[in-house]
């Protein structure tokens, strides 16, 4: 098996099957839009904006009209200098897990071969290795008094304000945001 391609910024894809496919090819955070769900998921939009502020983001969508619509949406909500579009070729076909071809008869990200995906990401490979980041778990949030304890709502509100995150994040969204935006040490520093 070939080594994964290290990327220096997250990749936005349409769905979980795309994410599953890419996770065996690249070493980077992969965030799904849940298709058109991104249009109404304010927490996810905010998270993507924050991620883009750091190093920018890659957007990889299907080559069909739905993928183009999602791509154009990111063009409207993110600064151009923080957005890098990666394109897959238009290849006719049907994904293995689906009973019928897509409306336009094109393979999506999940149906594209690993070799082709490696080739589209190769020009963006980061130098050196990307060390595995220590991930925060819900048990850490509990141990740090941000969840499930007396006074945790107040401590969580103070933490969210200090971290520049929305005050209404669910515990799962909070965990995802911290893991994407901060190292474990940076998280601990914000707790002080």
């Amino acid at each position: 098996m070939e080594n994964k391609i290290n990327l220096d910024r997250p990749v936005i894809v349409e769905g979980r099957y795309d994410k599953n496919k890419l996770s065996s090819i690249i070493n980077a955070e992969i965030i799904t839009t849940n298709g058109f769900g991104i249009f109404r998921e304010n927490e996810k939009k905010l998270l993507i904006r924050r991620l883009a502020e750091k190093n920018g983001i890659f957007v990889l969508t299907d080559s069909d009209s739905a993928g183009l619509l999602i791509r154009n949406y990111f063009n409207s909500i993110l600064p151009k200098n923080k957005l890098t579009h990666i394109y897959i070729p238009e290849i006719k076909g049907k994904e293995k897990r689906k009973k019928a071809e897509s409306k336009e008869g094109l393979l999506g990200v999940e149906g594209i071969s690993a070799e082709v995906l490696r080739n589209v990401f190769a020009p963006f490979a980061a130098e050196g290795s990307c060390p595995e980041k220590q991930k925060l778990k819900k048990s850490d949030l509990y141990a740090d008094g941000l969840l499930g304890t007396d006074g945790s709502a107040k401590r969580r509100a103070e933490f969210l304000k200090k971290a520049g995150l929305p005050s209404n994040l669910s515990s799962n969204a909070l965990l995802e945001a911290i893991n994407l935006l901060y190292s474990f040490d940076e998280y601990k520093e914000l707790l002080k």
Side-chain angles (χ1 to χ4, degrees), residues 21-54:
K21 178 76 173 238
L22 280 185
S23 64
S24 66
I25 298 165
I26 63 170
N27 187 18
E29 295 292 341
I30 304 169
I31 299 145
T32 63
T33 66
N34 299 323
F36 293 139
I38 191 65
F39 299 145
R40 63 186 175 282
E41 292 179 25
N42 291 328
E43 284 182 359
K44 190 163 277 193
K45 280 188 273 197
L46 181 65
L47 174 62
I48 290 170
R49 282 186 184 118
R50 287 290 306 276
L51 287 170
E53 286 173 11
K54 283 185 133 185

Side-chain angles (χ1 to χ4, degrees), residues 29-142:
E29 295 292 341
I30 304 169
I31 299 145
T32 63
T33 66
N34 299 323
F36 293 139
I38 191 65
F39 299 145
R40 63 186 175 282
E41 292 179 25
N42 291 328
E43 284 182 359
K44 190 163 277 193
K45 280 188 273 197
L46 181 65
L47 174 62
I48 290 170
R49 282 186 184 118
R50 287 290 306 276
L51 287 170
E53 286 173 11
K54 283 185 133 185
N55 294 333
I57 60 167
F58 292 116
V59 174
L60 175 67
T61 62
D62 296 349
S63 296
D64 59 9
S65 56
L68 181 62
L69 188 62
I70 292 168
R71 220 178 254 289
N72 286 336
Y73 181 69
F74 283 112
N75 286 336
S76 71
I77 66 168
L78 294 173
K80 304 292 181 253
N81 65 337
K82 297 294 185 175
L83 188 60
T84 303
H85 290 285
I86 296 180
Y87 297 90
I88 58 171
E90 289 185 350
I91 299 174
K92 294 280 187 188
K94 173 187 86 65
E95 269 92 23
K96 291 179 184 175
R97 71 176 179 87
K98 295 182 180 174
K99 292 182 179 176
E101 287 183 348
S102 69
K103 185 173 151 184
E104 296 172 38
L106 299 172
L107 290 176
V109 171
E110 71 175 273
I112 298 293
S113 73
E115 180 183 354
V116 169
L117 289 171
R118 290 184 71 74
N119 288 338
V120 299
F121 278 104
F124 304 101
E127 293 298 317
S129 65
C130 296
E132 191 64 31
K133 235 171 79 170
Q134 181 180 356
K135 295 279 189 186
L136 202 63
K137 299 183 232 58
K138 269 194 179 174
S139 58
D140 295 315
L141 298 179
Y142 180 80

